[in-house]
Amino acid sequence: MRNKALIAVCMLTVMITACGSSEEPPQVVEQIVVRERGTPEVVDVAASDAVSRVSLGEDAFQACTGCHSVDADGRSAAGPNLYGVIGRKAGSLEGYSFSDAVSSSDITWDEASLDGFLADPATYLPGNEMLAGAVPDDEARAAIIAYLAAQGE
Ligand code: HEC
């Protein structure tokens, strides 16, 4: 009877504290150590993806720099300055002489319209004078657009 009672007590203890090992519960110690270390290995995946996409876009934008600047000073080259182009009405940049095709369009540049334009400028805006710079690759286009969005923020 006494033994049975002891076993019962022990089993109860097992359920509550892992019988006999309450002085040294290794799993619990490990958990505490992980928490005390803080969160150096917790990476904001979405943010780091966005950062690497922008830097990919900066590379891909080298295909545009022959004609476009993204400098905040607003200077245009053969093509209009693209600093802050997202949210800007197409063909509205002062000091640059756009074709009618661009300036009379009712586009305000956003991700979707830039995507369509850069995929195939001549089809998207027939008669425009951007004769190079089409980006057929979806990923490269998305990266360039992310890069443009990061300029003028
Ligand atoms: C050969 C020169 C040239 C290259 C290369 C070029 N562009 Fe252009 N881009 C132009 C010209 C010229 C215009 C103005 C077109 C017009 O007025 O019809 C233009 C217009 C634009 C516009 C419209 C701007 C506005 O204010 O409405 C965007 C956006 C643009 N280009 C993005 C790009 C991107 C991104 C690249 C690289 C992938 C690129 N361009 C490559 C010459 C170029």
Side-chain angles (χ1 to χ4, degrees):
M1 277 306 266
R2 242 186 138 188
N3 277 352
K4 273 188 184 169
L6 197 62
I7 289 167
V9 169
C10 190
M11 283 177 70
L12 201 68
T13 319
V14 166
M15 294 192 302
I16 299 166
T17 63
C19 181
S21 62
S22 58
E23 286 166 22
E24 237 184 293
Q27 304 95 325
V28 172
V29 169
E30 211 174 309
Q31 274 179 8
I32 290 169
V33 169
V34 169
R35 281 185 193 154
E36 281 178 349
R37 274 187 193 145
T39 56
E41 60 284 276
V42 175
V43 175
D44 187 337
V45 175
S48 75
D49 277 1
V51 168
S52 62
R53 176 166 276 194
V54 167
S55 80
L56 276 178
E58 184 172 13
D59 291 344
F61 190 76
Q62 298 311 306
C64 325
T65 53
C67 299
H68 292 285
S69 153
V70 285
D71 291 345
D73 68 13
R75 251 182 303 149
S76 295
N81 184 291
L82 296 178
Y83 179 83
V85 72
I86 293 192
R88 188 164 90 195
K89 195 191 165 310
S92 68
L93 185 71
E94 285 201 18
Y96 185 86
S97 174
F98 289 90
S99 67
D100 284 350
V102 174
S103 58
S104 67
S105 79
D106 54 8
I107 293 169
T108 294
W109 294 118
D110 60 9
E111 276 84 357
S113 52
L114 281 171
D115 189 60
F117 176 64
L118 293 175
D120 186 358
T123 307
Y124 194 81
L125 265 178
N128 87 81
E129 289 165 3
M130 179 164 132
L131 302 179
V135 186
D137 182 78
D138 292 354
E139 281 299 312
R141 241 174 18 250
I144 287 174
I145 293 167
Y147 172 68
L148 286 174
Q151 314 306 307
E153 262 180 350

